């Protein structure tokens, strides 16, 4: 049994249609149905922000200990902010880095996901982000030798961009000593997943820097042609390509063995910082 009540008010009309046998009631406003009494719309679970950094590589050595660990956070991609090459040191990977030094102007520390670091974090930072790893080769060598890439990284949410970093690149089974971050996730305007134009059939993540960061990136790539730059995601290097020329367009591309879903998830994490 149906009852309809029509109320006119100027041009707009509101029709309430109630079904006696059902609890549902629909309100039609100017020809557009809006269900009432229904369950609220489902909300997506929040996306965990990624800690993204771009760091110049000082030195690299192979990771010869144990099986390669699964990367924490993002799927193991390889980043490619500049055309890649190999200037003497083979592109390699590692899982955590220690090195210290002041970050260039325009670099900001990402928001931490926990209230305060614990003792394990402080210990890892004191060793792997010790400024001496940049200036004293024997210290860097000692830290690299002692770095275990097989387990979870305590610095995942706690890397200081303004300090050097000794870390791992799981996909390439390498360890790196890295300079302080040139740019971080806070310097990114947007990130998007796109098909890889190289014909591999995979997907990449293209990022656009803010205007100030684009100028820093242009200066950095201009001054470091033939050097390597590490793309660090959650304290792990995902790729360390060689800079072959200055990049003046204010963009970078993170490439790797991405499926579409993996690229979209990483882009969402970068954009949710």
């Amino acid at each position: 049994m149906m009852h309809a009540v029509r109320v006119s008010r100027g041009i707009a009309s509101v029709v309430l249609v109630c079904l006696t046998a059902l609890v549902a009631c629909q309100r039609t406003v100017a020809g557009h149905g809006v269900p009432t009494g229904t369950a609220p719309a489902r909300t997506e679970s929040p996306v965990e922000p990624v800690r993204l950094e771009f760091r110049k590589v000082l030195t690299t050595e192979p990771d010869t200990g144990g099986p390669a660990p699964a990367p924490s956070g993002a799927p193991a991609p390889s980043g490619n902010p500049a055309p890649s090459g190999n200037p003497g040191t083979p592109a390699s990977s590692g899982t955590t880095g220690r090195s210290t030094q002041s970050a260039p102007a325009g670099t900001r520390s990402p928001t931490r996901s926990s209230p305060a670091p614990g003792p394990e974090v402080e210990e890892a930072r004191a060793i792997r982000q010790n400024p001496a790893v940049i200036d004293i080769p024997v210290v860097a060598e000692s830290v690299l030798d002692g770095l275990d890439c097989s387990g979870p990284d305590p610095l995942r949410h706690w890397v200081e961009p303004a300090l050097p970093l000794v870390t791992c690149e799981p996909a390439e089974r390498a360890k790196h000593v890295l300079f302080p971050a040139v740019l971080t996730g806070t310097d990114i305007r947007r990130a998007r997943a796109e098909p890889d134009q190289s014909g591999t059939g995979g997907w990449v993540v293209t990022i656009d820097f803010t205007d100030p960061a684009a100028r820093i990136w242009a200066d950095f790539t201009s001054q470091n042609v033939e050097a390597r730059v590490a793309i660090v995601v959650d304290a792990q290097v995902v790729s360390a390509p060689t800079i072959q020329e200055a990049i003046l367009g204010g963009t970078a591309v993170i490439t790797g063995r991405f499926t579409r879903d993996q690229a979209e998830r990483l882009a969402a994490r970068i954009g949710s910082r």
Side-chain angles (χ1 to χ4, degrees), residues 139-163:
V139 174
E141 182 179 354
S142 174
V143 176
L144 283 168
D145 289 345
L147 178 60
D148 181 3
C149 295
S150 64
D153 191 342
L155 292 181
R156 178 181 176 186
H157 297 299
W158 296 100
V159 172
E160 286 292 345
L163 296 176

Side-chain angles (χ1 to χ4, degrees), residues 15-18 23-29 31-41:
V15 179
L16 296 178
V17 181
C18 298
V23 180
C25 182
Q26 178 175 356
R27 182 179 64 189
T28 305
V29 181
H32 299 285
V34 181
T36 62
T38 58

Side-chain angles (χ1 to χ4, degrees), residues 62-70 93 95 145 147-151 168-175:
D63 175 20
T64 58
S93 58
T95 53
D145 289 345
L147 178 60
D148 181 3
C149 295
S150 64
C168 307
E169 185 181 354
E172 297 295 333
R173 301 201 63 177
K175 302 177 183 180

Side-chain angles (χ1 to χ4, degrees), residues 183-238:
L183 294 170
T184 70
T186 60
D187 296 303
I188 294 174
R189 176 182 288 120
R190 66 169 182 160
R192 59 194 180 278
E194 297 179 331
D196 190 342
Q197 299 302 314
S198 66
T200 64
W203 284 67
V204 301
V205 176
T206 300
I207 59 177
D208 297 328
F209 294 116
T210 63
D211 290 342
R215 290 189 289 271
I216 294 173
W217 185 240
D219 290 343
F220 171 76
T221 55
S222 298
Q223 297 166 12
N224 290 281
V225 173
E226 297 303 324
R228 296 169 63 211
V229 59
I231 300 174
V232 183
V233 174
D234 291 339
Q236 292 185 343
V237 173
V238 296

Side-chain angles (χ1 to χ4, degrees), residues 80-176:
N80 188 14
S84 59
N86 220 340
T89 310
S92 44
S93 58
T95 53
T96 11
R98 345 140 168 110
S99 76
T100 50
Q101 197 171 330
S102 300
T107 302
R108 288 162 287 170
S109 177
T111 303
R112 298 189 177 99
S113 58
S114 304
E120 184 182 16
V121 172
E122 296 291 2
E123 180 180 4
R125 184 183 291 163
I127 296 172
R128 296 166 47 201
Q129 293 207 268
N130 179 356
V133 299
I134 292 294
D135 303 317
I136 306 176
V138 68
V139 174
E141 182 179 354
S142 174
V143 176
L144 283 168
D145 289 345
L147 178 60
D148 181 3
C149 295
S150 64
D153 191 342
L155 292 181
R156 178 181 176 186
H157 297 299
W158 296 100
V159 172
E160 286 292 345
L163 296 176
L165 178 64
V166 178
T167 192
C168 307
E169 185 181 354
E172 297 295 333
R173 301 201 63 177
K175 302 177 183 180
H176 301 281

